[in-house]
Amino acid sequence: MLPFAVYRVTGQSMAPGIGESDYVLVNKLSYLLGEPRSGDVVVVKHPRTGRLIVKRVAKVEPDRYVLRGDNEKASSDSRGFGAVTRKMLVGKVWKVFRGG
């Protein structure tokens, strides 16, 4: 497994910080070595569709994480699909590259 991956963002759920067509560099080892914390921006598998999505950890509960999009009006997040498990986290976003 490579420790880093780059993903292209679709949608506006993390705007204005991360927008449509931006790219995120993700450290896939972050949560093998440490615990997710509130405020972390993560790539996670959507629990219903399996698609990869970018969200912010809003709350850490025992063995579960509540996720929110920064642009709540345009976000499918834990308000709709509930908290996710650590197993669903792909990794922590380290850097955002502006797309075009």
Side-chain angles (χ1 to χ4, degrees):
M1 173 171 88
L2 295 174
F4 295 97
V6 175
Y7 298 103
R8 185 170 188 241
V9 176
T10 59
Q12 293 292 324
S13 71
M14 291 299 291
I18 303 172
E20 180 87 33
S21 299
D22 286 350
Y23 292 86
V24 290
L25 175 65
V26 176
N27 182 338
K28 299 190 308 184
L29 299 179
S30 289
Y31 301 127
L32 294 176
L33 306 172
E35 293 292 322
R37 293 194 261 174
S38 291
D40 286 358
V41 177
V42 298
V43 170
V44 61
K45 290 182 185 176
H46 191 290
R48 294 188 183 143
T49 67
R51 288 185 62 197
L52 296 181
I53 57 175
V54 179
K55 300 295 173 205
R56 186 175 305 278
V57 177
K59 184 177 179 184
V60 177
E61 299 176 346
D63 301 319
R64 294 163 32 116
Y65 305 92
V66 176
L67 306 175
R68 292 287 171 95
D70 289 352
N71 180 4
E72 291 189 358
K73 292 180 182 175
S75 183
S76 170
D77 53 32
S78 289
R79 293 171 298 155
F81 56 70
V84 298
T85 63
R86 186 176 183 148
K87 184 177 177 179
M88 299 169 92
L89 298 177
V90 173
K92 182 177 181 177
V93 172
W94 271 23
K95 178 117 177 102
V96 177
F97 299 95
R98 298 294 170 210

